[in-house]
């Protein structure tokens, strides 16, 4: 794991200095190590593959980036089937893949992937809304007394309501 972290930090340093050739090499090495250590269907492997695909795309190496994005989608599908919440990752990768297809001159494939990206964004949004609703439901159960206090504060001046909101956020 330490070797993988070192390679990823090295790659990031190269990206930050604009040396995408060395970044690509470091990400490729890290990907090999991640795959050997964790297997194909692991979040660390998926993340590293995504970094490598983005680096290749930034270098204009779409012939390499597109298959990497396609492979990444398969990895994310496997993670999703294993119960991981990767809906936001799937949406992001679909948008990147569509962009790569469009840049490579394949508008038809880009359009299809963009439709999938829109569906993935909707799925991620629904997941977020569900999590927020669950959190709000838990908060309502735990804070009934505080909610009454906040309601009373809302009857006064606007500043009183702001103070009640501040207390509620501090309470969380």
């Amino acid at each position: 794991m330490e070797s993988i972290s070192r390679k990823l930090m090295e790659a990031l340093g190269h990206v930050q200095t604009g040396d995408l050739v060395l970044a690509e090499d470091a990400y490729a090495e890290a990907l090999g190590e991640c795959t050997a250590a964790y297997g194909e269907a692991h979040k660390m492997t998926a993340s590293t593959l995504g970094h490598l695909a983005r680096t290749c795309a930034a270098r204009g190496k779409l012939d390499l980036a597109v298959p990497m994005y396609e492979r990444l989608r398969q990895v994310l599908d496997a993670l999703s089937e294993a119960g991981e919440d990767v809906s936001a990752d799937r949406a992001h990768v679909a948008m990147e893949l569509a962009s790569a297809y469009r840049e490579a001159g394949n508008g038809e494939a880009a359009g299809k992937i963009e439709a999938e990206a829109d569906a993935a964004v909707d799925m991620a949004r629904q997941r977020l809304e569900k999590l927020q609703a669950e959190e709000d439901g838990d908060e309502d159960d735990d804070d009934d007394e505080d909610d009454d206090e906040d309601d009373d504060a809302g009857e006064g001046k606007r500043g009183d309501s702001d103070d009640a909101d501040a207390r509620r956020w501090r309470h969380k």
Side-chain angles (χ1 to χ4, degrees):
M1 177 65 180
E2 188 176 315
S3 175
I4 296 169
S5 295
R6 258 195 320 270
K7 281 292 174 196
L8 291 172
M9 292 303 294
E10 176 186 333
L12 179 60
H14 293 309
V15 168
Q16 290 173 336
T17 62
D19 193 341
L20 298 182
V21 173
L22 291 177
E24 180 183 343
D25 291 343
Y27 279 132
E29 288 178 32
L31 178 60
E33 291 181 24
C34 279
T35 304
Y38 304 116
E40 183 83 8
H42 189 276
K43 281 189 141 186
M44 179 68 91
T45 305
S47 176
T48 305
L49 178 58
H51 289 303
L52 180 57
R54 279 186 288 284
T55 301
C56 287
R59 293 192 60 211
K61 297 171 80 173
L62 300 174
D63 58 321
L64 294 176
V66 167
M68 285 183 207
Y69 284 128
E70 292 287 5
R71 179 176 157 203
L72 181 53
R73 288 175 42 158
Q74 292 172 348
V75 171
L76 292 174
D77 286 346
L79 287 170
S80 179
E81 289 172 12
E84 295 280 344
D85 180 15
V86 293
S87 53
D89 297 315
R90 290 170 82 177
H92 190 246
V93 169
M95 288 184 274
E96 289 177 331
L97 177 59
S99 177
Y101 271 129
R102 191 163 305 287
E103 192 173 326
N106 191 342
E108 184 177 330
K112 180 182 174 201
I113 300 297
E114 286 167 347
E116 292 176 25
D118 289 343
V121 167
D122 287 342
M123 184 182 301
R125 184 178 298 120
Q126 290 170 1
R127 175 73 177 137
L128 178 61
E129 289 170 355
K130 180 180 176 186
L131 290 171
Q132 288 173 332
E134 289 172 0
E135 184 178 296
D136 290 346
D138 289 344
E139 181 180 306
D140 287 344
D141 293 341
D142 296 340
D143 294 342
D144 285 341
E145 190 173 305
D146 289 342
D147 288 344
D148 292 340
E149 180 182 317
D150 292 345
D151 291 342
D152 293 340
E155 294 173 8
K157 301 179 293 186
R158 177 69 186 141
D160 292 342
S161 179
D162 289 345
D163 290 343
D165 288 343
R167 282 193 308 276
R168 185 176 326 121
W169 287 109
R170 279 195 302 269
H171 178 67
K172 289 182 183 180

